[in-house]
Amino acid sequence: MRKSRTIFCIMLCLMLIINLAGFDALAEDSNLSNEAGSAAKSSPAESKKTDQTGSSADDAPDSTSGANTDTSSDNNSGANTDSSSGSDSGNTPGLNPDPGSSGSDPEAGIPNTDGSLTDSPTSDSNDPDNPGSTDSENSAGELPGQMLTLEAPKLTAKAEDGTVSLTWTAVTGAQSYKIYQVSDSGLTLLTDTENTSYTHTVPKNNTTYRYIAGAAAEGAEEALSVEVTAVPRTKKPEKVTNFAGMDGEKKAVLSWSKTTGATGYYVYRYNSSKKRWEMIKQTTKTSYTDKSLKAGSTYKYRVAAFRTNKEETAVGSQTSTLSVSIKKTPGTKVYPMKYKATILSKAPCFSSKNGKKRAGYLAKGTKVTTINSGNGRYKIQLSNGKIYWVAKGRLKITASVWTSKDYSTSTKTNFVNAKGYKSPTKYLIWISQYTQRVMIFKGSKGNWKMIRSCRCATGTYLHKTPKGVFKITYKEKGWFYKTTYEKPIVHFKGANSFHSRIKNYKGGYADATIGKPRSKGCVRLYDEDINFIYKQCPKGTTVVSF
């Protein structure tokens, strides 16, 4: 009994060894089939050899005469064998392996009912060099070692004043973009950016610039766009506005508003004899005075703004024609406050304020007229009309020279506009010490309109009202003394200010003088006039005094 068991175990081991050898053969057959590819189907002899080696069910009778014997018949004469061995229907003789069991070899293929082998789902019969890979794995990406291919961006260029705006389309897979300027010597890199736009500031206008854009990514060859060109041009400034002109005593005083973006302005005058427009002035200012004109004549003018950028100039449209009539009677002749003076001692006189060469001497007691105040040499006029300069210390001021006559409204308006006075507020104040008037204007430089003319009392020759261009600095409700007061107060230079006449607390005025020099340097006004300035003219308003 023990011997029978021993024999049975030995037989069983032999069967297992034989069956394992059969599976190895099947695996080898599968590999050979993969290597052969489609050639295995077209070669009957080769197919037959494979079938014999793999012991397929179709050739089972022939296989008994070969080296591979049917183990089921041999087992009939020995110990009790596996009951399934006699019912083999196309599987390997002696053993029917489960394809899903742990004992199967996934690389050997799954036997079909007709004896052929079906490839394992994990094998790749089309790739003999990589049997463990699949077609789907290779189709998902590039093959190892193959370079990524990028599309070329589409580049556009827009020329502007001093710049070229470049834009391009985004490229799938691109990590950055390079913009090149093209020249006959090659490409110059302008920028390396992740954006899809770039502005190139050009060295000068009216020049053709060429560009190329490139899409770049790691492991990919740079894809270059088609070359584009652009020619920047200088932008023309807008048409000049608020062009005005007036008679300025044998000259035309022209003014206009500042034009945004303008480098300067051309002033044109019509030449009636040649019947054409001529450019008479190029200026960066917003005003121009055309001098030495003929009284009684009319002159025509136009103005155009121009812009210069990178050596190119663009001229805007000309204004409409402006006519200025030069009157025979001067329309802007005004005078400053003058003072009578006497020469204290023999005084050297000079032909200019800073001249070193003496023009002669003036005798003691000589009567002169001066318009100066302050330090240094004074400009004097003799009774014969000659003009000289003498030292301040040689003079004794004896009286103010003023008039009660007023200028016309047009003369006042023309004067402040011709002088080009400006103010940071919409108001301008002019103190005419010679006529003892205060004029209030509203508007802007070159376009002032008088809205109020007031009689006043300025300082005497002993306490002169300062001359010059000042501004309102601050305001007070009033100055209050023991028996008198003045209110309100509007300062324009230190303690010098506009204020009311001197009033008594008990009523009436301590000094109501108006219309001639009377104060100690301030400017007295009627109540309604000082109240207008106090309420309407803000701090910073320009004050012109002479």
Side-chain angles (χ1 to χ4, degrees):
M1 185 67 177
R2 183 178 298 173
K3 183 176 181 181
S4 298
R5 289 180 178 177
T6 301
I7 295 172
F8 176 77
C9 290
I10 293 171
M11 294 297 293
L12 182 60
C13 290
L14 290 173
M15 291 176 64
L16 289 173
I17 293 170
I18 293 171
N19 278 284
L20 288 174
F23 274 102
D24 289 339
L26 287 174
E28 182 179 1
D29 180 58
S30 176
N31 288 334
L32 291 173
S33 176
N34 289 335
E35 292 175 358
S38 59
K41 296 181 180 180
S42 60
S43 176
E46 189 68 19
S47 176
K48 181 176 180 180
K49 180 179 179 181
T50 303
D51 291 340
Q52 290 175 351
T53 304
S55 300
S56 65
D58 291 339
D59 294 331
D62 296 335
S63 63
T64 56
S65 59
N68 188 11
T69 60
D70 188 352
T71 57
S72 61
S73 60
D74 291 339
N75 289 338
N76 289 335
S77 62
N80 190 18
T81 61
D82 189 348
S83 60
S84 63
S85 61
S87 60
D88 182 19
S89 177
N91 294 325
T92 303
L95 184 62
N96 187 17
D98 184 357
S101 66
S102 60
S104 63
D105 185 354
E107 295 184 0
I110 300 174
N112 294 323
T113 56
D114 60 356
S116 64
L117 294 178
T118 300
D119 291 337
S120 171
T122 60
S123 65
D124 183 7
S125 61
N126 294 325
D127 188 2
D129 294 331
N130 187 15
S133 64
T134 64
D135 290 338
S136 61
E137 290 175 346
N138 287 331
S139 63
E142 299 294 332
L143 293 176
Q146 184 173 347
M147 182 175 289
L148 177 66
T149 301
L150 297 175
E151 292 184 359
K154 295 180 180 180
L155 179 63
T156 58
K158 181 181 179 181
E160 297 175 346
D161 187 354
T163 62
V164 175
S165 296
L166 300 165
T167 57
W168 55 91
T169 56
V171 174
T172 303
Q175 296 172 341
S176 66
Y177 304 93
K178 296 181 179 180
I179 301 301
Y180 301 95
Q181 182 177 343
V182 184
S183 64
D184 294 339
S185 59
L187 303 180
T188 301
L189 179 64
L190 297 178
T191 186
D192 188 345
T193 178
E194 296 179 1
N195 299 324
T196 55
S197 64
Y198 173 70
T199 300
H200 180 214
T201 301
V202 300
K204 62 180 180 178
N205 285 335
N206 198 26
T207 301
T208 301
Y209 294 90
R210 302 154 56 195
Y211 303 94
I212 284 179
E218 185 177 357
E221 183 178 353
E222 185 177 11
L224 298 178
S225 71
V226 176
E227 179 181 312
V228 298
T229 61
V231 183
R233 300 287 186 186
T234 300
K235 183 179 179 181
K236 292 183 179 181
E238 298 294 328
K239 187 176 181 180
V240 172
T241 59
N242 298 321
F243 182 39
M246 64 189 69
D247 172 22
E249 190 181 354
K250 294 186 179 180
K251 54 191 175 184
V253 182
L254 309 174
S255 63
W256 54 89
S257 295
K258 183 177 181 180
T259 303
T260 302
T263 304
Y265 306 90
Y266 293 133
V267 180
Y268 303 90
R269 184 178 64 197
Y270 186 72
N271 189 323
S272 57
S273 60
K274 296 181 180 180
K275 299 185 182 304
R276 68 184 184 188
W277 288 93
E278 297 175 340
M279 196 270 285
I280 61 172
K281 181 66 176 180
Q282 176 181 329
T283 179
T284 58
K285 299 179 180 179
T286 55
S287 63
Y288 172 67
T289 300
D290 190 15
K291 301 178 181 179
S292 302
L293 303 181
K294 185 178 180 180
S297 299
T298 298
Y299 296 84
K300 297 179 180 180
Y301 299 92
R302 291 178 182 175
V303 173
F306 68 86
R307 174 177 172 79
T308 300
N309 186 16
K310 309 294 196 260
E311 301 178 358
E312 184 184 30
T313 298
V315 183
S317 300
Q318 296 182 6
T319 61
S320 299
T321 301
L322 175 69
S323 298
V324 178
S325 297
I326 307 302
K327 300 176 182 178
K328 292 183 178 181
T329 301
T332 60
K333 192 66 174 180
V334 298
Y335 302 92
M337 173 72 87
K338 298 178 182 180
Y339 304 99
K340 291 181 179 180
T342 302
I343 301 296
L344 293 174
S345 61
K346 184 179 179 181
C349 57
F350 302 85
S351 57
S352 64
K353 184 176 183 178
N354 299 314
K356 295 182 179 181
K357 185 177 180 181
R358 294 184 179 93
Y361 292 87
L362 294 176
K364 178 182 177 180
T366 303
K367 304 297 182 181
V368 298
T369 302
T370 180
I371 62 172
N372 287 80
S373 61
N375 299 319
R377 291 177 182 173
Y378 276 30
K379 183 179 181 180
I380 63 170
Q381 183 177 18
L382 302 180
S383 57
N384 60 8
K386 291 185 178 180
I387 304 296
Y388 294 103
W389 294 80
V390 298
K392 172 187 175 183
R394 302 282 185 171
L395 293 173
K396 180 182 178 180
I397 307 297
T398 59
S400 298
V401 179
W402 55 278
T403 182
S404 59
K405 294 181 180 180
D406 194 12
Y407 303 121
S408 67
T409 299
S410 61
T411 297
K412 297 172 185 177
T413 304
N414 288 345
F415 171 73
V416 295
N417 285 311
K419 285 292 186 179
Y421 291 125
K422 59 183 179 179
S423 177
T425 73
K426 61 182 179 180
Y427 293 99
L428 173 73
I429 301 174
W430 169 26
I431 305 169
S432 173
Q433 297 187 40
Y434 182 67
T435 61
Q436 293 292 287
R437 293 290 195 282
V438 170
M439 280 69 67
I440 303 173
F441 300 85
K442 189 175 182 180
S444 59
K445 178 182 176 181
N447 294 284
W448 296 112
K449 304 295 182 184
M450 191 177 73
I451 61 173
R452 200 176 189 95
S453 181
C454 321
R455 294 183 69 192
C456 70
T458 63
T460 67
Y461 70 92
L462 296 174
H463 306 281
K464 302 178 183 69
T465 298
K467 295 180 180 180
V469 179
F470 312 106
K471 64 181 179 180
I472 293 177
T473 53
Y474 66 102
K475 301 177 181 181
E476 296 183 72
K477 290 183 178 180
W479 287 338
F480 303 94
Y481 310 102
K482 288 184 179 181
T483 59
T484 62
Y485 67 93
E486 302 154 359
K487 73 172 188 178
I489 312 296
V490 179
H491 293 264
F492 62 87
K493 186 181 187 301
N496 298 110
S497 61
F498 298 103
H499 60 69
S500 68
R501 293 171 290 174
I502 303 173
K503 299 179 180 181
N504 292 317
Y505 287 114
K506 295 180 180 181
Y509 295 93
D511 189 344
T513 303
I514 288 288
K516 66 178 182 179
R518 182 68 176 179
S519 74
K520 292 184 178 181
C522 291
V523 180
R524 293 180 188 175
L525 294 165
Y526 288 118
D527 288 354
E528 58 269 26
D529 296 325
I530 180 57
N531 285 327
F532 181 90
I533 294 176
Y534 183 80
K535 294 178 181 179
Q536 300 296 327
C537 300
K539 289 193 299 183
T541 297
T542 297
V543 177
V544 178
S545 174
F546 72 93

